[in-house]
Amino acid sequence: MKTAVNTATTPSMILSIADFKEITKARLAISVVFSSLAGYLLGAHQIEISSLLLLAFGGYCMVGASNAYNQVIEKDLDALMKRTKNRPIPAGRMSVRFAMFIAVTLTLLGVVSLYFLNPKTAMFGAISIFLYTSVYTPLKTITPLSVFVGAFPGAIPFMLGWVAATNEFGIEPGTLFMIQFFWQFPHFWALGWMLHDDYEQGSFKMLPTGKKDKGTALQIIMYTIWMLLISIIPVFGITGRLELSIPAAVVIFAMGMVMLVFAFKLYEKRDNVTARKLMLASVSYITLMQIVYVIDKFI
């Protein structure tokens, strides 16, 4: 009897964990936490494990809350698209009420956790949730400018870590913000290119021209160039305590050039295969760039 009960309950527990990961977009949340921790390490005079844990927990809660609110708002549209129709709400595995409970709980836990670090960190975290759910999400079906709006909350995590470590906002966290702000355009437009047909089923307007054309590819190139230039600005010594050595700047520039090559290839070929390569290159770039920044500070 005991074995039978265990066998029956285990799949249910696994499904619940899987749905929690899906409603909070666990992989995305973890990548955001990574950015925040990198920003903290860059800003900290002295590293405190308790602060790192609070930042990681609070950061995950804030991103998880944003994604849960998003999936509540877009539940009907998610049901129309192949990549989202199996999410917990449209698939019927989770009620809207329970999803809202998760979102509100994570919001409260996130704000409180970040407030223990300092009020500025909590404020920026709350702003990111508001912009993502109340401005970016509704605009996705109205105008391609939604990507521009969404780039603001998306750029906060790297900056948030510095603010968490210093309780200050200045040229240093502002630079970190701008790096991740411009990075998001080639990243999300490459993703939007790949998923364009599916997005159309949900009436999402993600590409700047609304089409997979040279105009969109050209804008991807331009924003990649801006991202690359801003990423190496600290090497010139004009960004306060945020510094970058020449060897580190060379490495980051080389990685950015890889992205730029894929952007030019997308302009030439205009196919999903190349868009996917650009998207993967962008994910590698943002992660490795942050690692290079942190390593460069400590060596």
Side-chain angles (χ1 to χ4, degrees), residues 164-201:
T166 65
N167 195 25
E168 297 175 356
F169 181 83
I171 185 66
E172 299 93 345
T175 303
L176 299 181
F177 176 90
M178 293 304 292
I179 293 171
Q180 198 150 349
F181 178 82
F182 281 100
W183 165 81
Q184 288 178 90
F185 293 95
H187 172 72
F188 282 107
W189 283 337
L191 184 63
W193 189 296
M194 291 165 47
L195 301 173
H196 180 66
D197 294 341
D198 208 23
Y199 277 134
E200 283 195 325
Q201 295 298 313

CSV table of all heavy atoms in Angstrom, one decimal, residues 164-201:
chain,number,residue,atom,x,y,z
A,164,ALA,N,23.0,47.0,-5.4
A,164,ALA,CA,22.9,46.2,-4.2
A,164,ALA,C,24.2,46.2,-3.4
A,164,ALA,O,24.2,46.2,-2.2
A,164,ALA,CB,22.6,44.8,-4.6
A,165,ALA,N,25.3,46.3,-4.1
A,165,ALA,CA,26.6,46.3,-3.4
A,165,ALA,C,27.0,47.6,-2.8
A,165,ALA,O,27.7,47.7,-1.8
A,165,ALA,CB,27.7,45.8,-4.4
A,166,THR,N,26.6,48.7,-3.5
A,166,THR,CA,27.1,50.1,-3.1
A,166,THR,C,26.0,51.0,-2.6
A,166,THR,O,26.3,52.0,-2.0
A,166,THR,CB,27.7,50.7,-4.3
A,166,THR,OG1,26.7,50.9,-5.3
A,166,THR,CG2,28.8,49.9,-4.9
A,167,ASN,N,24.7,50.7,-2.8
A,167,ASN,CA,23.6,51.6,-2.5
A,167,ASN,C,23.8,52.9,-3.2
A,167,ASN,O,23.4,54.0,-2.7
A,167,ASN,CB,23.5,51.8,-0.9
A,167,ASN,CG,22.2,52.4,-0.5
A,167,ASN,OD1,21.2,52.3,-1.2
A,167,ASN,ND2,22.2,53.1,0.6
A,168,GLU,N,24.4,52.9,-4.3
A,168,GLU,CA,24.6,54.1,-5.1
A,168,GLU,C,24.3,53.9,-6.6
A,168,GLU,O,24.4,52.8,-7.1
A,168,GLU,CB,26.1,54.6,-5.0
A,168,GLU,CG,26.5,54.9,-3.6
A,168,GLU,CD,28.0,55.3,-3.6
A,168,GLU,OE1,28.7,55.1,-4.6
A,168,GLU,OE2,28.5,55.6,-2.5
A,169,PHE,N,23.8,54.9,-7.2
A,169,PHE,CA,23.5,54.9,-8.7
A,169,PHE,C,24.3,56.0,-9.3
A,169,PHE,O,24.1,57.2,-9.0
A,169,PHE,CB,22.0,55.0,-9.0
A,169,PHE,CG,21.8,54.9,-10.5
A,169,PHE,CD1,21.7,53.7,-11.1
A,169,PHE,CD2,21.7,56.1,-11.3
A,169,PHE,CE1,21.5,53.6,-12.5
A,169,PHE,CE2,21.5,56.0,-12.6
A,169,PHE,CZ,21.4,54.8,-13.2
A,170,GLY,N,25.2,55.7,-10.2
A,170,GLY,CA,26.0,56.7,-10.9
A,170,GLY,C,26.5,56.2,-12.3
A,170,GLY,O,25.8,55.3,-12.9
A,171,ILE,N,27.6,56.7,-12.7
A,171,ILE,CA,28.1,56.3,-14.0
A,171,ILE,C,28.4,54.8,-14.2
A,171,ILE,O,28.2,54.2,-15.2
A,171,ILE,CB,29.4,57.1,-14.4
A,171,ILE,CG1,29.9,56.9,-15.8
A,171,ILE,CG2,30.5,56.8,-13.4
A,171,ILE,CD1,28.9,57.4,-16.8
A,172,GLU,N,28.8,54.2,-13.1
A,172,GLU,CA,29.2,52.8,-13.2
A,172,GLU,C,27.9,51.9,-13.4
A,172,GLU,O,27.9,51.2,-14.4
A,172,GLU,CB,29.9,52.3,-11.9
A,172,GLU,CG,31.2,53.0,-11.6
A,172,GLU,CD,31.0,54.2,-10.7
A,172,GLU,OE1,29.8,54.7,-10.5
A,172,GLU,OE2,32.0,54.8,-10.2
A,173,PRO,N,26.9,51.9,-12.6
A,173,PRO,CA,25.8,51.1,-12.9
A,173,PRO,C,25.0,51.6,-14.1
A,173,PRO,O,24.4,50.8,-14.8
A,173,PRO,CB,24.9,51.2,-11.6
A,173,PRO,CG,25.3,52.5,-11.0
A,173,PRO,CD,26.8,52.6,-11.3
A,174,GLY,N,25.1,52.9,-14.4
A,174,GLY,CA,24.5,53.4,-15.6
A,174,GLY,C,25.2,52.7,-16.9
A,174,GLY,O,24.5,52.4,-17.9
A,175,THR,N,26.5,52.5,-16.8
A,175,THR,CA,27.2,51.9,-18.0
A,175,THR,C,26.8,50.4,-18.1
A,175,THR,O,26.5,49.9,-19.2
A,175,THR,CB,28.7,52.0,-17.8
A,175,THR,OG1,29.1,53.4,-17.6
A,175,THR,CG2,29.4,51.4,-18.9
A,176,LEU,N,26.7,49.7,-16.9
A,176,LEU,CA,26.2,48.4,-17.0
A,176,LEU,C,24.8,48.2,-17.5
A,176,LEU,O,24.5,47.3,-18.3
A,176,LEU,CB,26.3,47.8,-15.5
A,176,LEU,CG,27.7,47.7,-14.9
A,176,LEU,CD1,27.5,47.1,-13.5
A,176,LEU,CD2,28.7,47.0,-15.7
A,177,PHE,N,24.0,49.2,-17.2
A,177,PHE,CA,22.6,49.2,-17.7
A,177,PHE,C,22.6,49.4,-19.2
A,177,PHE,O,21.9,48.7,-19.9
A,177,PHE,CB,21.8,50.4,-17.1
A,177,PHE,CG,20.5,50.6,-17.6
A,177,PHE,CD1,19.4,49.9,-17.0
A,177,PHE,CD2,20.2,51.4,-18.7
A,177,PHE,CE1,18.1,50.1,-17.5
A,177,PHE,CE2,18.9,51.6,-19.2
A,177,PHE,CZ,17.9,50.9,-18.6
A,178,MET,N,23.4,50.3,-19.7
A,178,MET,CA,23.5,50.6,-21.2
A,178,MET,C,24.0,49.4,-22.0
A,178,MET,O,23.5,49.1,-23.1
A,178,MET,CB,24.3,51.8,-21.5
A,178,MET,CG,23.7,53.1,-20.9
A,178,MET,SD,22.0,53.4,-21.5
A,178,MET,CE,22.4,53.7,-23.3
A,179,ILE,N,25.0,48.7,-21.4
A,179,ILE,CA,25.5,47.5,-22.1
A,179,ILE,C,24.4,46.5,-22.3
A,179,ILE,O,24.2,46.0,-23.4
A,179,ILE,CB,26.6,46.8,-21.3
A,179,ILE,CG1,27.9,47.7,-21.2
A,179,ILE,CG2,27.0,45.5,-21.9
A,179,ILE,CD1,29.0,47.3,-20.3
A,180,GLN,N,23.7,46.1,-21.2
A,180,GLN,CA,22.6,45.1,-21.4
A,180,GLN,C,21.4,45.7,-22.1
A,180,GLN,O,20.7,44.9,-22.7
A,180,GLN,CB,22.2,44.6,-20.0
A,180,GLN,CG,21.5,43.3,-20.0
A,180,GLN,CD,21.7,42.5,-18.8
A,180,GLN,OE1,22.6,42.8,-17.9
A,180,GLN,NE2,20.9,41.4,-18.6
A,181,PHE,N,21.2,47.0,-22.1
A,181,PHE,CA,20.1,47.6,-22.8
A,181,PHE,C,20.3,47.4,-24.3
A,181,PHE,O,19.3,46.9,-25.0
A,181,PHE,CB,20.0,49.1,-22.5
A,181,PHE,CG,18.9,49.8,-23.2
A,181,PHE,CD1,17.6,49.8,-22.8
A,181,PHE,CD2,19.2,50.5,-24.4
A,181,PHE,CE1,16.6,50.5,-23.4
A,181,PHE,CE2,18.2,51.2,-25.0
A,181,PHE,CZ,16.9,51.2,-24.6
A,182,PHE,N,21.4,47.7,-24.8
A,182,PHE,CA,21.6,47.6,-26.3
A,182,PHE,C,21.8,46.1,-26.7
A,182,PHE,O,21.5,45.8,-27.8
A,182,PHE,CB,22.8,48.4,-26.7
A,182,PHE,CG,22.5,49.9,-26.8
A,182,PHE,CD1,22.9,50.8,-25.8
A,182,PHE,CD2,21.9,50.4,-27.9
A,182,PHE,CE1,22.6,52.1,-25.9
A,182,PHE,CE2,21.6,51.7,-28.0
A,182,PHE,CZ,21.9,52.6,-27.0
A,183,TRP,N,22.3,45.3,-25.8
A,183,TRP,CA,22.4,43.9,-26.1
A,183,TRP,C,21.1,43.2,-26.5
A,183,TRP,O,21.0,42.3,-27.3
A,183,TRP,CB,23.1,43.1,-25.0
A,183,TRP,CG,23.0,41.6,-25.1
A,183,TRP,CD1,23.7,40.8,-25.8
A,183,TRP,CD2,22.0,40.8,-24.4
A,183,TRP,NE1,23.3,39.5,-25.7
A,183,TRP,CE2,22.2,39.5,-24.8
A,183,TRP,CE3,20.9,41.1,-23.6
A,183,TRP,CZ2,21.5,38.4,-24.4
A,183,TRP,CZ3,20.1,40.0,-23.1
A,183,TRP,CH2,20.4,38.7,-23.5
A,184,GLN,N,20.0,43.7,-25.8
A,184,GLN,CA,18.7,43.0,-25.9
A,184,GLN,C,18.1,43.1,-27.3
A,184,GLN,O,17.4,42.2,-27.7
A,184,GLN,CB,17.8,43.6,-24.9
A,184,GLN,CG,18.1,43.1,-23.5
A,184,GLN,CD,17.1,43.7,-22.5
A,184,GLN,OE1,16.1,43.2,-22.2
A,184,GLN,NE2,17.5,44.9,-22.0
A,185,PHE,N,18.5,44.2,-28.1
A,185,PHE,CA,17.8,44.3,-29.4
A,185,PHE,C,18.3,43.3,-30.4
A,185,PHE,O,17.4,42.6,-31.0
A,185,PHE,CB,18.1,45.7,-29.9
A,185,PHE,CG,17.4,46.8,-29.1
A,185,PHE,CD1,18.1,47.5,-28.1
A,185,PHE,CD2,16.1,47.2,-29.4
A,185,PHE,CE1,17.5,48.4,-27.3
A,185,PHE,CE2,15.5,48.1,-28.6
A,185,PHE,CZ,16.2,48.8,-27.6
A,186,PRO,N,19.6,43.0,-30.6
A,186,PRO,CA,19.9,41.9,-31.5
A,186,PRO,C,19.5,40.6,-30.9
A,186,PRO,O,19.1,39.7,-31.7
A,186,PRO,CB,21.5,42.0,-31.6
A,186,PRO,CG,21.9,42.8,-30.4
A,186,PRO,CD,20.8,43.8,-30.1
A,187,HIS,N,19.5,40.4,-29.6
A,187,HIS,CA,19.1,39.1,-29.0
A,187,HIS,C,17.6,38.8,-29.3
A,187,HIS,O,17.3,37.8,-29.8
A,187,HIS,CB,19.4,39.1,-27.5
A,187,HIS,CG,18.8,37.9,-26.8
A,187,HIS,ND1,19.4,36.7,-26.9
A,187,HIS,CD2,17.8,37.8,-26.0
A,187,HIS,CE1,18.7,35.8,-26.2
A,187,HIS,NE2,17.7,36.5,-25.6
A,188,PHE,N,16.7,39.8,-28.9
A,188,PHE,CA,15.3,39.5,-29.0
A,188,PHE,C,14.8,39.6,-30.5
A,188,PHE,O,13.9,39.0,-30.8
A,188,PHE,CB,14.5,40.5,-28.1
A,188,PHE,CG,14.6,40.1,-26.7
A,188,PHE,CD1,15.3,40.8,-25.8
A,188,PHE,CD2,13.9,38.9,-26.3
A,188,PHE,CE1,15.4,40.4,-24.4
A,188,PHE,CE2,13.9,38.5,-24.9
A,188,PHE,CZ,14.7,39.3,-24.0
A,189,TRP,N,15.5,40.4,-31.3
A,189,TRP,CA,15.1,40.5,-32.7
A,189,TRP,C,15.5,39.2,-33.4
A,189,TRP,O,14.8,38.7,-34.3
A,189,TRP,CB,15.6,41.7,-33.4
A,189,TRP,CG,14.8,42.9,-33.0
A,189,TRP,CD1,13.6,43.0,-32.6
A,189,TRP,CD2,15.3,44.3,-33.1
A,189,TRP,NE1,13.2,44.3,-32.4
A,189,TRP,CE2,14.3,45.1,-32.7
A,189,TRP,CE3,16.5,44.9,-33.5
A,189,TRP,CZ2,14.4,46.5,-32.6
A,189,TRP,CZ3,16.7,46.3,-33.4
A,189,TRP,CH2,15.6,47.1,-33.0
A,190,ALA,N,16.6,38.6,-33.0
A,190,ALA,CA,17.0,37.3,-33.6
A,190,ALA,C,16.0,36.2,-33.2
A,190,ALA,O,15.6,35.4,-34.0
A,190,ALA,CB,18.4,36.9,-33.1
A,191,LEU,N,15.6,36.3,-31.9
A,191,LEU,CA,14.6,35.3,-31.4
A,191,LEU,C,13.2,35.6,-32.1
A,191,LEU,O,12.5,34.7,-32.5
A,191,LEU,CB,14.4,35.5,-29.9
A,191,LEU,CG,13.5,34.5,-29.2
A,191,LEU,CD1,14.0,33.1,-29.3
A,191,LEU,CD2,13.4,34.9,-27.7
A,192,GLY,N,12.9,36.9,-32.2
A,192,GLY,CA,11.6,37.2,-32.9
A,192,GLY,C,11.6,36.8,-34.4
A,192,GLY,O,10.6,36.4,-34.9
A,193,TRP,N,12.8,36.8,-35.0
A,193,TRP,CA,12.9,36.4,-36.4
A,193,TRP,C,12.6,34.9,-36.5
A,193,TRP,O,11.9,34.5,-37.3
A,193,TRP,CB,14.3,36.7,-36.9
A,193,TRP,CG,14.6,36.5,-38.3
A,193,TRP,CD1,14.5,35.3,-39.0
A,193,TRP,CD2,14.9,37.5,-39.3
A,193,TRP,NE1,14.8,35.5,-40.4
A,193,TRP,CE2,15.0,36.8,-40.6
A,193,TRP,CE3,15.2,38.9,-39.2
A,193,TRP,CZ2,15.4,37.5,-41.7
A,193,TRP,CZ3,15.5,39.5,-40.4
A,193,TRP,CH2,15.6,38.9,-41.6
A,194,MET,N,13.2,34.1,-35.6
A,194,MET,CA,13.0,32.7,-35.6
A,194,MET,C,11.6,32.3,-35.3
A,194,MET,O,11.1,31.4,-35.9
A,194,MET,CB,13.9,32.0,-34.5
A,194,MET,CG,15.4,32.1,-34.7
A,194,MET,SD,16.3,31.7,-33.2
A,194,MET,CE,15.4,30.2,-32.6
A,195,LEU,N,10.9,33.0,-34.4
A,195,LEU,CA,9.6,32.7,-34.0
A,195,LEU,C,8.5,33.6,-34.6
A,195,LEU,O,7.4,33.6,-34.1
A,195,LEU,CB,9.5,32.8,-32.5
A,195,LEU,CG,10.5,31.9,-31.7
A,195,LEU,CD1,10.4,32.2,-30.2
A,195,LEU,CD2,10.2,30.4,-32.0
A,196,HIS,N,8.9,34.2,-35.7
A,196,HIS,CA,8.0,35.2,-36.3
A,196,HIS,C,6.6,34.6,-36.7
A,196,HIS,O,5.6,35.2,-36.3
A,196,HIS,CB,8.6,35.8,-37.6
A,196,HIS,CG,7.8,36.8,-38.3
A,196,HIS,ND1,7.5,38.1,-37.7
A,196,HIS,CD2,7.1,36.8,-39.5
A,196,HIS,CE1,6.7,38.8,-38.5
A,196,HIS,NE2,6.5,38.0,-39.6
A,197,ASP,N,6.6,33.5,-37.3
A,197,ASP,CA,5.3,32.9,-37.7
A,197,ASP,C,4.4,32.6,-36.5
A,197,ASP,O,3.2,32.8,-36.5
A,197,ASP,CB,5.5,31.6,-38.5
A,197,ASP,CG,6.2,31.9,-39.9
A,197,ASP,OD1,6.1,33.1,-40.3
A,197,ASP,OD2,6.7,31.0,-40.5
A,198,ASP,N,5.1,32.0,-35.4
A,198,ASP,CA,4.4,31.7,-34.2
A,198,ASP,C,3.9,33.0,-33.5
A,198,ASP,O,2.7,33.0,-33.0
A,198,ASP,CB,5.3,30.9,-33.3
A,198,ASP,CG,4.5,30.0,-32.4
A,198,ASP,OD1,3.3,29.6,-32.7
A,198,ASP,OD2,5.0,29.6,-31.3
A,199,TYR,N,4.7,34.0,-33.5
A,199,TYR,CA,4.3,35.2,-32.9
A,199,TYR,C,3.1,35.9,-33.6
A,199,TYR,O,2.2,36.5,-33.0
A,199,TYR,CB,5.4,36.2,-32.9
A,199,TYR,CG,6.4,36.1,-31.7
A,199,TYR,CD1,7.8,36.1,-31.9
A,199,TYR,CD2,6.0,36.0,-30.4
A,199,TYR,CE1,8.7,36.0,-30.9
A,199,TYR,CE2,6.8,35.8,-29.4
A,199,TYR,CZ,8.2,35.8,-29.6
A,199,TYR,OH,9.1,35.7,-28.5
A,200,GLU,N,3.0,35.7,-34.9
A,200,GLU,CA,1.9,36.2,-35.6
A,200,GLU,C,0.6,35.5,-35.2
A,200,GLU,O,-0.5,36.2,-35.2
A,200,GLU,CB,2.1,36.0,-37.1
A,200,GLU,CG,3.1,37.0,-37.7
A,200,GLU,CD,3.0,37.1,-39.3
A,200,GLU,OE1,2.8,36.0,-39.8
A,200,GLU,OE2,3.2,38.1,-39.8
A,201,GLN,N,0.7,34.3,-34.8
A,201,GLN,CA,-0.5,33.6,-34.4
A,201,GLN,C,-1.1,34.2,-33.1
A,201,GLN,O,-2.3,34.2,-32.9
A,201,GLN,CB,-0.2,32.1,-34.1
A,201,GLN,CG,0.2,31.3,-35.3
A,201,GLN,CD,-1.0,31.3,-36.4
A,201,GLN,OE1,-2.1,31.0,-36.0
A,201,GLN,NE2,-0.6,31.5,-37.6
